[in-house]
Amino acid sequence: KAGVTQTPRYLIKTRGQQVTLSCSPISGHRSVSWYQQTPGQGLQFLFEYFSETQRNKGNFPGRFSGRQFSNSRSEMNVSTLELGDSALYLCASSLDPSGKVRSYNEQFFGPGTRLTVL
Amino acid sequence: GNSVTQMEGPVTLSEEAFLTINCTYTATGYPSLFWYVQYPGEGLQLLLKATKADDKGSNKGFEATYRKETTSFHLEKGSVQVSDSAVYFCALSGGGGTSYGKLTFGQGTILTVHP
């Protein structure tokens, strides 16, 4: 079974631009979570989607948004990029068959998209 | 809210040495605990997990026991190899609050193993 895929793997943008990152979860996984990884702040949760609905959101400004499609693929968008948005953005998928909160649901991570803002 | 604290790093060991990476957590309720590993240029891989008190997770020679009384989940390996060099993250999910799809991570510990 194919793992979580993320595209593109690398992006270079300039301040003020916007960017869209894509994530394809493992087949059959319905939950997709997004994280930002930086040397200073570590791994921080952005948001989680299940069945096209955002169920949870981290403490990030409204410039960060996402969506999920009916095939569980997800995108995240960052508008009006700032230098501090340079980071590795990681997507993770989880089976979550019941749609209920199960803390033991494992998350499987993709390789990430490295975003550099100049 | 939930939080995870890992030992200060980096950790440098010689091959075949014993490894311990400390992890403690703060959470209400009954969280699940995980160790993830990240190799250079890659995403995170699940190393092991434990979902209730006194559970022991194990994989590839690594072990960790869920200690509710000390709120800890320390990672251990009896004999490390050069190929174990990576960044290790302790994480928790659940444990009360709004927890859909959210892992809370420690700051990560860089492990370097020399031949």
Side-chain angles (χ1 to χ4, degrees):
Chain A
K1 190 180 276 190
V4 178
T5 58
Q6 292 188 246
T7 56
R9 291 293 308 277
Y10 302 92
L11 266 177
I12 300 176
K13 294 287 188 179
T14 57
R15 279 180 300 174
Q17 287 187 310
Q18 75 165 15
V19 67
T20 299
L21 313 181
S22 181
C23 171
S24 293
I26 293 171
S27 177
H29 285 197
R30 301 164 67 189
S31 169
V32 174
S33 300
W34 288 89
Y35 297 85
Q36 181 195 64
Q37 185 178 22
T38 61
Q41 299 299 317
L43 281 153
Q44 294 187 288
F45 172 76
L46 281 156
F47 29 64
E48 187 260 3
Y49 286 87
F50 180 86
S51 290
E52 302 179 63
T53 299
Q54 185 183 89
R55 296 193 299 187
N56 199 0
K57 188 178 191 306
N59 189 27
F60 278 82
R63 299 185 298 106
F64 292 82
S65 62
R67 60 178 175 168
Q68 187 181 35
F69 302 95
S70 58
N71 61 358
S72 294
R73 190 177 71 83
S74 177
E75 291 182 345
M76 68 163 282
N77 183 276
V78 188
S79 63
T80 319
L81 284 166
E82 301 177 359
L83 296 179
D85 297 333
S86 294
L88 180 67
Y89 289 88
L90 293 164
C91 161
S93 74
S94 180
L95 188 57
D96 198 6
S98 68
K100 299 177 182 178
V101 177
R102 293 287 185 266
S103 66
Y104 52 75
N105 285 335
E106 300 171 12
Q107 292 190 19
F108 297 84
F109 283 79
T113 294
R114 173 74 63 184
L115 172 64
T116 301
V117 182
L118 303 176
Chain B
N2 297 339
S3 67
V4 176
T5 302
Q6 285 181 236
M7 63 184 292
E8 298 283 333
V11 175
T12 303
L13 296 172
S14 297
E15 206 165 26
E16 299 183 4
F18 183 84
L19 168 70
T20 298
I21 301 178
N22 290 338
C23 170
T24 58
Y25 68 90
T26 301
T28 57
Y30 303 93
S32 291
L33 302 173
F34 306 85
W35 276 100
Y36 281 86
V37 59
Q38 186 175 34
Y39 297 99
E42 298 184 12
L44 277 69
Q45 298 178 25
L46 178 65
L47 184 57
L48 53 84
K49 72 174 186 179
T51 60
K52 60 183 186 296
D54 300 324
D55 265 3
K56 177 185 281 189
S58 62
N59 185 28
K60 299 180 182 179
F62 291 91
E63 292 183 341
T65 301
Y66 189 162
R67 302 287 188 198
K68 191 166 178 63
E69 65 275 14
T70 55
T71 62
S72 65
F73 193 53
H74 306 320
L75 182 68
E76 297 182 336
K77 187 175 185 182
S79 176
V80 294
Q81 305 300 312
V82 172
S83 57
D84 294 327
S85 298
V87 184
Y88 291 80
F89 293 93
C90 184
L92 72 80
S93 71
T98 306
S99 59
Y100 287 107
K102 178 181 179 180
L103 286 168
T104 300
F105 288 91
Q107 63 269 42
T109 301
I110 300 171
L111 171 65
T112 303
V113 180
H114 293 299

